[in-house]
Amino acid sequence: PMSAEWPWTQTCKAMDRLRALRSGDLRYLRKLETGLEMEFAVAGARFRIVLELDAAENDLVFRLQPLVSGEADLIAADLPGPLLPGESRQVQVLVDYRNQGRLFTGASGAMETETPAVRKLAMLEGRYRLRFFGVLGDRRAVGSAKAGYNAIIEENADAQIILRQEEDGRLSPSVGWLPSMGTLGYARVIRYRFEDRPTVVTLAKSFRRYAMGAGLFKSLRDKIAEQPQIRNLVGATACFIGYQKSRLDYVNTFRRLRKMGHKRFYIFPTFHINLGFTDMAGDPPIDIRRHSKALQALGGMLGSWTYLAGLPNRVEKQRLAVRNADGTFPLNWQIDDDVWRQTCMRMACAELAGRHEDLLQADIHHFDTTAGNALQECYAPTHLQDRRMDREYRIRLFREVTGLNRLPVSESVKDWAVPHYLMGSNKEVPVLGESPAFRVVPLQHLVYHDAIFSLWWEVDCYDVPYFHGGNLAAQSITDILYGDMPLIFPVGRQYRWVKGGKSWQAANFEQSLAMPACAAAAKRAVDVARHFGKVALEEMTDFRWLSADGCVQQTGFSNGGSVIANFGKEPGSAPGGKAVAPMDARVMQ
């Protein structure tokens, strides 16, 4: 079985004990009308592999079926292994990893910014967010090739994407199949969708078509037809106002923002819904429900902070916690010495079902980490669940909110969540100053721009420098380039982390429009919100790099508009010879 210390650091020792298949492992091979069927026996475990052509989709379908008639169970597998186009040794790999899509180029340098020396990435479902990777071989330029394919993982709850880099720089991606409650358990399927002359855009659109047919897509226009209040967020400014209680003047702040030109707002969090914690790094949690009517009259859609994935470290809450197979409790979050254990989502659903009075007091409910963390198994005897069940319970949390005609949002953008919620947070500036080993690609936008709103992580506001934000120019032109909602922190109180001796400790800070950074961010966000209002419901149809270093980028939308953004230090050129100044964006009709 897998074990977990945190939801995003799960380990499976069986993956480290795999060996290559040998000819002697093959029991039989049989030709099918549309492919091949093979049966293997390895160390007493039996399994069947089927390779078939899907003529309707022109796909090659790989199926791994464990057999229960063996002497042992199949626990894990890395099959069929890397599949590389032709004789190509110049492979690029596209995957939606961490906070945004990444095109790994095979060039020398770190594959991942946090671990510069890594030559292998094992991406759990919690780290890659769309269930496919794309391969481009015999590359013509960064992001395009003569041949390539998408590898679509049809059920990815128990799958990881493995990306290796050989000494010569060659990339070789594959899928690692992980155990479900101790064994492989059920059939695992990869759909290979081949392309001639693929680009990052054609690979993204190929997965988009798959998502539409597989129940992983629901357009914003369809969501608006069911919940018309969503239209109030089109052209809105997202305003994070801190987790903690403050004596600052919230209502007058939003009056001032209206005078600056802002029309509508997503204001969050106005209060907390949780499983029993009453302290936020030394301060009480925010609760300004007494101002709800005044803020709504100013154009605000009000959000709660619904944190059900973490439990206070109290004995009476242990019954709700996830348990590993060895009986230990994985953690969801930690601040100083305060730890929150991971809640079993099955138990969270039961708890939320009794909180309708709270749910009705906000327009929007942000489920912190619910769509962001990796799916988890739970071995608690009274609420056993595998990762597929965990996913279903997370969807039930969202449906509990939509059933009350309220809007669910969450952290991250997972393909399984898109049909069931409205907004996901976490993204990156397109140019990070990284090595040539990878480039940032707006992959979730190319697939889902017209299906979900995308936001920065809540504390990464234009005007907050303590986390990954505080870069007004780069973040605002990213939002214009991608057609997203701006995010500012105009008023409120929040904690951050500071180094204290050998550990990190919490320190609190406040924001207000009296601060020059807040005022500048609020002014800039007016233009960003106006552009967002024009393209919010449109498909992102195109993305390309216009400069060799990737600093000048262009996107296109289904309404015919396009944007060119320059993240470099020198002027860039737009089609038609128009110049784009450094750290600026040009909207073209």
Side-chain angles (χ1 to χ4, degrees), residues 429-431 456 462 471-484 524 528 531 551 553 555 563-568 580-586:
V429 172
V431 176
W456 304 92
Y462 290 179
N471 192 335
L472 174 57
Q475 289 182 269
S476 62
I477 66 172
T478 298
D479 284 339
I480 294 174
L481 180 69
Y482 290 175
D484 286 342
R524 175 62 168 159
V528 180
H531 174 67
C551 289
Q553 303 180 14
T555 54
V563 177
I564 298 174
N566 182 3
F567 295 90
V580 182
M583 299 308 298
D584 200 3
R586 179 186 288 271

Side-chain angles (χ1 to χ4, degrees), residues 51-266:
L51 287 167
E52 287 190 286
L53 292 172
D54 181 345
E57 299 291 342
N58 199 29
D59 294 343
L60 175 64
V61 179
F62 168 89
R63 182 180 301 272
L64 171 63
Q65 177 66 63
L67 302 175
V68 297
S69 55
E71 300 173 3
D73 290 321
L74 184 63
I75 296 175
D78 183 353
L79 289 169
L83 180 62
L84 302 178
E87 298 299 321
S88 173
R89 298 183 67 83
Q90 293 180 309
V91 171
Q92 303 169 78
V93 178
L94 178 68
V95 63
D96 196 45
Y97 177 53
R98 295 176 64 85
N99 295 329
Q100 191 52 274
R102 292 194 178 181
L103 178 71
F104 294 96
T105 65
S108 61
M111 288 205 302
E112 218 296 288
T113 54
E114 291 182 359
T115 51
V118 74
R119 303 190 71 85
K120 174 183 174 182
L121 295 178
M123 306 173 225
L124 287 164
E125 175 272 343
R127 284 305 197 201
Y128 69 91
R129 301 174 303 162
L130 307 184
R131 63 187 69 192
F132 84 101
F133 62 84
V135 172
L136 301 97
D138 291 326
R139 63 187 180 200
R140 298 178 173 184
V142 176
S144 65
K146 293 181 180 179
Y149 65 86
N150 270 348
I152 300 171
I153 308 167
E154 294 216 328
E155 170 55 80
N156 73 321
D158 301 291
Q160 62 180 345
I161 295 174
I162 303 171
L163 180 60
R164 301 173 181 87
Q165 187 172 35
E166 308 299 336
E167 291 296 330
D168 62 2
R170 180 171 55 90
L171 299 173
S172 57
S174 62
V175 176
W177 302 115
L178 302 173
S180 174
M181 304 300 283
T183 70
L184 217 61
Y186 59 91
R188 310 302 177 91
V189 179
I190 306 174
R191 181 173 292 271
Y192 291 97
R193 185 160 289 181
F194 299 98
E195 287 193 31
D196 185 30
R197 297 181 179 85
T199 68
V200 293
V201 174
T202 63
L203 291 175
K205 296 307 179 184
S206 173
F207 180 73
R208 175 184 168 92
R209 290 190 296 274
Y210 172 81
M212 286 178 162
L216 300 173
F217 189 96
K218 188 175 187 178
S219 74
L220 284 167
R221 286 185 171 88
D222 286 342
K223 293 175 181 179
I224 289 171
E226 296 176 359
Q227 294 183 287
Q229 68 269 35
I230 294 173
R231 279 207 173 272
N232 294 330
L233 291 172
V234 176
T237 300
C239 296
F240 179 67
I241 57 174
Y243 300 154
Q244 297 166 291
K245 184 178 181 180
S246 171
R247 295 183 179 180
L248 293 170
D249 192 334
Y250 295 92
V251 175
N252 277 327
T253 295
F254 284 91
R255 287 196 183 108
R256 289 181 61 189
L257 289 170
R258 290 278 296 190
K259 291 179 180 178
M260 294 175 68
H262 295 274
K263 304 296 184 184
R264 293 182 292 276
F265 308 97
Y266 165 36

Side-chain angles (χ1 to χ4, degrees), residues 493-514:
R493 186 172 177 84
Q494 173 64 24
Y495 58 80
R496 64 185 180 99
W497 291 277
V498 296
K499 194 73 171 179
K502 296 182 180 180
S503 63
W504 290 94
Q505 298 177 346
N508 302 323
F509 67 96
E510 288 190 323
Q511 298 270 115
S512 77
L513 288 179

Side-chain angles (χ1 to χ4, degrees), residues 201 204-206 208-209 212 217 219-221 444-452 481-483 534-543 555-562:
V201 174
K205 296 307 179 184
S206 173
R208 175 184 168 92
R209 290 190 296 274
M212 286 178 162
F217 189 96
S219 74
L220 284 167
R221 286 185 171 88
Q444 76 185 41
H445 294 76
L446 286 165
V447 178
Y448 284 125
H449 187 273
D450 55 338
I452 193 166
L481 180 69
Y482 290 175
K534 295 177 181 178
V535 299
L537 308 183
E538 303 296 326
E539 178 186 353
M540 182 185 284
T541 55
D542 193 21
F543 167 77
T555 54
F557 297 91
S558 54
N559 64 355
S562 68

